[in-house]
């Protein structure tokens, strides 16, 4: 019998991100060829698996931000930061390992990148509504920032739109040089 070696955490995270990227690219290709109308729903599930977080029960903004950050960082090796309290909290995606792998292994069009960003915003909005929270998605120098709040959040539309080109740039830069600025 051959002994199967165990992976350390870093290797496991990298393989999870790689596997996730290959699944994403294969399914996206299939949907483009056979069911383009379903790409939006697929991207929303891939971007933030809303059902996973809804099964945790109703979370306050800090609990939700921490849950998202823990999954991304611990499963996939992404670089995440959380700031805030139970009334308003932000999770910053400083580096998204899954998207770095998607950029590395796949040939995505500009439209694919823009769709994914738009679908990410929709998915975050849906998750927020389900949790009875306001949401905002913005791109800042430090990365993609998602804010959840018990109250209303101003300027969501402008920030979400502004983040599209910045997020696109971050994906392209990561694909080109492997730096740690990958965000959707």
């Amino acid at each position: 019998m051959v002994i199967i070696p165990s992976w350390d955490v870093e290797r496991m995270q990298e393989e999870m991100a790689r596997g996730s990227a290959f699944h994403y690219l294969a399914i996206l290709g299939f949907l483009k060829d056979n069911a383009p109308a379903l790409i939006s729903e697929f991207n929303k599930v891939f971007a933030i698996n809303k059902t996973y977080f809804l099964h945790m029960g109703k979370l306050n903004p800090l609990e939700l931000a921490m849950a998202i950050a823990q999954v991304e960082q611990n499963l996939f090796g992404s670089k995440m930061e959380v700031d805030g309290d139970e009334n308003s909290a932000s999770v910053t995606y400083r580096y998204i390992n899954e998207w770095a792998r998607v950029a590395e292994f796949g040939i995505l069009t500009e439209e694919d990148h823009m769709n994914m960003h738009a679908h990410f915003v929709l998915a975050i909005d849906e998750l927020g509504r389900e949790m009875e929270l306001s949401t905002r998605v913005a791109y800042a120098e430090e990365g993609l920032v998602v804010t959840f709040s018990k109250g209303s959040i101003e300027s969501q539309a402008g920030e979400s739109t502004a983040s599209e080109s910045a997020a696109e740039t971050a994906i392209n830069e990561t694909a080109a040089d492997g730096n740690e600025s990958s965000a959707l």
Side-chain angles (χ1 to χ4, degrees):
M1 175 173 24
V2 176
I3 296 175
I4 300 169
S6 296
W7 291 341
D8 62 15
V9 172
E10 187 175 302
R11 170 77 188 270
M12 196 174 329
Q13 290 170 336
E14 189 60 30
E15 293 301 325
M16 288 287 294
R18 288 169 50 93
S20 183
F22 283 122
H23 281 122
Y24 176 78
L25 292 166
I27 294 168
L28 181 64
F30 176 82
L31 290 174
K32 282 180 171 184
D33 291 341
N34 298 288
L38 297 178
I39 291 173
S40 173
E41 289 304 312
F42 167 66
N43 277 342
K44 289 190 300 184
V45 170
F46 186 82
I48 186 98
N49 190 342
K50 175 179 74 172
T51 306
Y52 178 87
F53 297 104
L54 291 176
H55 276 89
M56 294 180 179
K58 188 171 180 196
L59 304 175
N60 69 44
L62 183 58
E63 291 168 333
L64 181 55
M66 284 297 292
I68 291 169
Q70 288 174 18
V71 167
E72 287 293 329
Q73 188 165 297
N74 292 316
L75 283 181
F76 301 107
S78 297
K79 308 274 191 256
M80 310 293 288
E81 291 179 1
V82 173
D83 188 36
D85 57 35
E86 64 185 32
N87 294 311
S88 181
S90 296
V91 58
T92 301
Y93 293 73
R94 295 187 62 79
Y95 173 77
I96 305 172
N97 199 20
E98 295 155 288
W99 281 105
R101 301 295 70 84
V102 167
E104 178 183 349
F105 302 128
I107 300 172
L108 297 180
T109 66
E110 183 173 333
E111 180 181 7
D112 293 332
H113 288 289
M114 298 306 285
N115 284 340
M116 187 59 210
H117 177 76
H119 300 155
F120 176 81
V121 172
L122 291 173
I124 291 296
D125 285 347
E126 286 179 11
L127 178 59
R129 271 194 311 278
E130 293 276 345
M131 293 277 183
E132 299 177 6
L133 301 172
S134 299
T135 62
R136 179 179 63 218
V137 177
Y139 195 84
E141 188 173 313
E142 62 272 6
L144 187 65
V145 181
V146 175
T147 302
F148 298 99
S149 178
K150 287 184 179 178
S152 64
I153 301 174
E154 297 178 20
S155 304
Q156 179 179 355
E159 288 181 285
S160 294
T161 302
S163 64
E164 291 175 11
S165 62
E168 178 74 16
T169 300
I171 292 170
N172 292 334
E173 287 174 357
T174 300
D177 63 19
N179 69 24
E180 292 202 1
S181 66
S182 180
L184 290 187

